[in-house]
Amino acid sequence: MDDELVTDSAAQAGVVTPTDDHSNELETLRGALEQLEAAHEANRVAVERLRAALATIEPALTPEMLAGDTVEELEESFTTAMDTLKRLRDEVRREQVLAVGAGAPGRHGRGPLTALEKIREGLARS
């Protein structure tokens, strides 16, 4: 009688009522669905906490760099983002090394000036 529906005079009018077995199965399925929803919410909270923790490890990371709805996806995007940051930092270091000269600039001294030359230079500056 598992697959049968109990009918009465209301069933003859088009109304069908499930048996007790079906009601129990429906309640079991509802309970399982609620458990799955609670587990999904707990997983979502855990992923957000992990995202926040990873962002504190490296302040240069933007939220767009830490994408993913699962722990595995988030860890993969973190690894990719860290690799990208490392390459960018290495490139910036190389450019900075090239931009800095290799020592102090040379001096262009004209030699000692006479008193008259010093006076002329002083008057020219004022």
Side-chain angles (χ1 to χ4, degrees):
M1 190 155 163
D2 289 338
D3 296 330
E4 296 179 17
L5 296 177
V6 177
T7 60
D8 58 359
S9 59
Q12 293 173 357
V15 178
V16 178
T17 58
T19 62
D20 286 338
D21 289 340
H22 289 289
S23 295
N24 290 339
E25 184 178 350
L26 183 60
E27 288 304 315
T28 302
L29 290 173
R30 284 185 181 146
L33 179 61
E34 289 174 5
Q35 288 177 349
L36 284 173
E37 288 173 344
H40 179 71
E41 179 62 20
N43 185 50
R44 188 190 65 73
V45 169
V47 167
E48 290 305 315
R49 285 182 180 166
L50 177 59
R51 187 183 323 273
L54 292 174
T56 60
I57 290 173
E58 179 55 65
L61 293 176
T62 62
E64 296 82 25
M65 296 172 113
L66 295 174
D69 294 328
T70 65
V71 171
E72 293 80 14
E73 290 173 352
L74 188 58
E75 287 174 341
E76 184 178 329
S77 69
F78 177 74
T79 302
T80 303
M82 291 301 291
D83 290 343
T84 302
L85 283 174
K86 183 181 181 305
R87 283 194 313 270
L88 289 172
R89 286 176 176 154
D90 290 343
E91 183 65 29
V92 168
R93 278 189 202 105
R94 272 186 257 133
E95 288 179 7
Q96 286 177 343
V97 168
L98 295 175
V100 176
R107 298 186 182 241
H108 303 350
R110 292 184 283 170
L113 299 176
T114 65
L116 186 58
E117 291 173 329
K118 290 179 183 177
I119 293 171
R120 282 187 188 148
E121 190 175 314
L123 290 174
R125 288 185 192 172
S126 53

